[in-house]
Amino acid sequence: MYSRKAWGGEIDPFILTKFAKVEDDTAAQNNLVSLVIFEWGDESLIGRPVPGTDDELATICDPANIEANLCTQEELGAFILAENATEAAKSTILSKAVNLNDPAAINYPVKKTGFYCVSTFAYSGHDYQGVVEFRNSYGELPAAQIAKLPFYGALTIVYAVIGVFWAFLYVQNRHDILPVQNYITAILIFLVVEQAMTWGFYDYQNRHGMNAFAKVLMIIVAILNAGRNAFSFFLLLIVCMGYGVVKPTLGRTMLWVRLLAIAHFVFSVIYGIASLSITPESAGPLVLLVILPLAATLTAFYVWTLNSLNLTMKDLVERRQKTKAMMYRKLWWCILGSIIVIFGFFFINSFAFAGRSAINFVPDHWKTRWFVLDGWLNIVYLFDIAFVAYLWRPTANNRRFAMSDELAQDDDGFEIRSLANSLDEEGAIPLEENDYERHSLERELSPVPPKPVQPAPQQRESLDGETIFAVGEEDADKFSEDEDEDEDFRKSSEERRKLTGEPSL
């Protein structure tokens, strides 16, 4: 329970307890039910040690404990509190015996945030029924889930902002869009809708409680969550296969990837519905029929994705496609970082919780349990999808250059040789010893200076060096310059032949 100051609201939070009335001729004192309401931190203040014993604790006021001066006759049937309970308690401890012949509703006001408990005991030994309502000031959501309301609202805004930036780049470069960028566009739109629906479900439940329409919304959210997971695995797999950047099409492989995504979606929906309808007490061996198919498709996605990423990187490295290999290396580090964060988070939480007793786990972590189970996974997913969208963002000329190859080179330098040397090496006529001086003289008389070999044009990276899609335009007069150079070369060659006496071609 949260105090009114913690989350605000229109009413003061309270705990209301109401027992069902029992109609019989039994004496009133035989229809008593013991009731105590307290904050978990004050649990040690309930009960008193029995005199003459080592560790026996008296918790219910009965005639024997009255004789032992552990409680009074007016407290008969109620829980026994410690002598200093009033001063030492962090919150008020309510203890009383309720007469089921004429039970009145008991309202316990909550002044401080805490984990509050309601405990009852059948003092008379008869069956009884009762209802307990925990009412927070902000609405109907349980206190352990209220933090999800602003969390999913913030996620919706963040995904919407990412979608706006992506839409701006998409429209700006709409004539140069790759197929894989269309898939990223679809999943960003889907994520905004899915997060908005999740936020809407918690907001509706907070306003109206868990009624029939809220249950329908819960099923819709479960289906959307299953669709997000399947779509995300599908997108990551085709990206790791090099779709749109290394390969223009995946052929029949795309069909198998889609079938795997559809199977994962179906099994995720079945698992989501089963988790909502099956309680831990009623779960039996048949629950494996729900878990095993989902685990199989999830494992298939993981193995196929990592194997495809390794093969794509290996192919790019062998072809010396440095820019593209750099992109997939960054994606590999992103996936590895996500796995490390996930396992690291589990390890840290397991280590932190190992030293705590099981009975204290929920009372000590009820505020953060939602984040451990759900919140941090959504943050990791947000960073992953934002990173993939950044690397594969639409830019100018990305369609033209995405499928182009860099010039593979073994070293970073260029060999510069004269054209005359090249021509002499290509001549198949061996030199006689007495011809050595004549050829040396011819080279000295040659007026043509050595012409450096122009490096082959290479695919250029963008200004920020993050993606291969942002590539500048080629010079418009490239071919005209080449023609002028060829004409100068022919004139120089003709002059050289005249000086050396070689016949014209």
Side-chain angles (χ1 to χ4, degrees):
M1 297 285 293
Y2 280 105
S3 64
R4 185 176 181 179
K5 183 180 179 180
W7 285 93
E10 299 178 356
I11 63 173
D12 292 323
F14 61 86
I15 300 174
L16 183 64
T17 305
K18 176 66 176 178
F19 290 95
K21 185 176 181 180
V22 175
E23 298 288 351
D24 58 19
D25 298 332
T26 310
Q29 61 269 22
N30 293 330
N31 286 324
L32 297 179
V33 171
S34 307
L35 170 68
V36 62
I37 303 176
F38 62 97
E39 204 279 327
W40 179 257
D42 300 327
E43 189 266 344
S44 59
L45 299 177
I46 299 177
R48 294 184 187 182
V50 178
T53 61
D54 295 333
D55 54 359
E56 185 178 352
L57 197 67
T59 57
I60 301 297
C61 184
D62 56 16
N65 290 326
I66 294 176
E67 293 180 2
N69 294 323
L70 297 178
C71 57
T72 63
Q73 183 66 35
E74 291 77 14
E75 298 173 342
L76 180 66
F79 280 86
I80 300 176
L81 303 181
E83 294 181 3
N84 62 339
T86 304
E87 297 80 12
K90 299 178 181 179
S91 300
T92 304
I93 302 178
L94 187 150
S95 176
K96 65 181 305 181
V98 180
N99 189 345
L100 296 182
N101 289 338
D102 187 20
I106 301 172
N107 188 301
Y108 177 87
V110 176
K111 302 296 183 181
K112 298 180 180 180
T113 299
F115 188 85
Y116 288 87
C117 306
V118 177
S119 179
T120 61
F121 175 74
Y123 178 81
S124 302
H126 296 89
D127 294 338
Y128 60 92
Q129 294 181 347
V131 177
V132 179
E133 178 186 1
F134 293 84
R135 184 67 165 83
N136 285 282
S137 58
Y138 54 78
E140 300 289 340
L141 268 176
Q145 295 187 8
I146 183 58
K148 292 183 178 181
L149 191 58
F151 177 75
Y152 282 107
L155 279 184
T156 303
I157 296 174
V158 172
Y159 280 119
V161 171
I162 295 175
V164 168
F165 280 103
W166 179 272
F168 174 77
L169 295 175
Y170 189 95
V171 174
Q172 189 179 33
N173 305 283
R174 59 187 178 276
H175 301 299
D176 242 356
I177 296 299
L178 298 172
V180 69
Q181 292 169 338
N182 289 326
Y183 283 109
I184 297 177
T185 303
I187 196 171
L188 288 176
I189 297 175
F190 183 88
L191 284 171
V192 174
V193 175
E194 191 254 347
Q195 295 298 321
M197 286 293 299
T198 304
W199 174 83
F201 161 69
Y202 286 110
D203 182 69
Y204 182 86
Q205 183 183 356
N206 186 52
R207 295 175 183 272
H208 306 283
M210 185 56 74
N211 55 21
F213 185 70
K215 294 179 180 179
V216 173
L217 288 178
M218 182 174 60
I219 295 176
I220 294 175
V221 169
I223 294 174
L224 290 177
N225 185 262
R228 180 188 68 172
N229 293 333
F231 201 168
S232 301
F233 282 123
F234 168 80
L235 176 63
L236 183 60
L237 180 54
I238 64 174
V239 166
C240 291
M241 287 181 172
Y243 179 61
V245 177
V246 181
K247 302 175 184 178
T249 178
L250 298 179
R252 289 187 59 84
T253 304
M254 178 63 82
L255 175 61
W256 294 109
V257 175
R258 290 173 177 171
L259 290 177
L260 180 60
I262 294 174
H264 185 76
F265 170 73
V266 172
F267 294 142
S268 296
V269 171
I270 295 175
Y271 174 81
I273 295 176
S275 63
L276 295 175
S277 58
I278 298 177
T279 61
E281 295 79 11
S282 61
L286 292 179
V287 75
L288 295 177
L289 298 177
V290 177
I291 297 176
L292 291 180
L294 180 62
T297 55
L298 187 62
T299 303
F301 264 120
Y302 275 122
V303 174
W304 201 355
T305 298
L306 295 177
N307 185 59
S308 299
L309 182 58
N310 289 332
L311 291 177
T312 301
M313 292 177 60
K314 181 180 178 182
D315 176 66
L316 292 173
V317 170
E318 290 177 350
R319 292 164 48 200
R320 296 183 178 87
Q321 304 299 299
K322 298 180 181 179
T323 306
K324 295 180 181 180
M326 178 184 65
M327 292 179 59
Y328 282 91
R329 189 174 295 110
K330 291 179 179 179
L331 179 61
W332 185 85
W333 280 110
C334 176
I335 296 175
L336 178 62
S338 300
I339 295 175
I340 292 175
V341 169
I342 291 173
F343 280 96
F345 195 87
F346 274 123
F347 176 78
I348 293 174
N349 282 278
S350 299
F351 182 78
F353 298 153
R356 301 179 182 272
S357 61
I359 195 172
N360 290 326
F361 177 79
V362 174
D364 292 343
H365 300 93
W366 65 273
K367 294 181 183 179
T368 58
R369 185 175 55 180
W370 71 273
F371 186 78
V372 174
L373 298 176
D374 186 42
W376 68 279
L377 288 175
N378 280 279
I379 293 179
V380 173
Y381 181 85
L382 170 63
F383 278 102
D384 288 344
I385 197 68
F387 186 79
V388 172
Y390 175 74
L391 284 183
W392 272 262
R393 66 190 183 276
T395 54
N397 299 319
N398 54 195
R399 176 178 289 276
R400 178 181 176 187
F401 291 98
M403 301 307 300
S404 62
D405 288 338
E406 296 179 76
L407 179 64
Q409 297 177 356
D410 294 329
D411 51 39
D412 296 331
F414 298 95
E415 182 181 2
I416 302 177
R417 304 190 304 170
S418 68
L419 181 60
N421 291 343
S422 300
L423 292 175
D424 290 341
E425 288 179 2
E426 292 178 359
I429 303 175
L431 297 178
E432 299 291 340
E433 292 182 1
N434 56 359
D435 293 337
Y436 179 80
E437 295 180 359
R438 180 173 62 86
H439 282 272
S440 298
L441 179 62
E442 291 175 355
R443 297 188 183 192
E444 292 176 359
L445 294 175
S446 174
V448 182
K451 181 181 179 182
V453 179
Q454 296 294 331
Q458 300 185 31
Q459 182 183 3
R460 296 186 295 166
E461 302 180 29
S462 64
L463 295 179
D464 53 9
E466 295 295 337
T467 177
I468 65 172
F469 300 136
V471 184
E473 296 290 347
E474 299 292 338
D475 295 332
D477 57 347
K478 173 183 175 182
F479 295 103
S480 61
E481 291 181 357
D482 292 343
E483 292 176 358
D484 294 340
E485 291 178 359
D486 293 341
E487 183 64 27
D488 294 340
F489 169 71
R490 285 194 295 270
K491 292 180 180 179
S492 300
S493 300
E494 188 65 27
E495 293 177 0
R496 181 176 64 83
R497 292 189 186 93
K498 290 179 181 180
L499 292 173
T500 59
E502 294 181 356
S504 301
L505 298 176

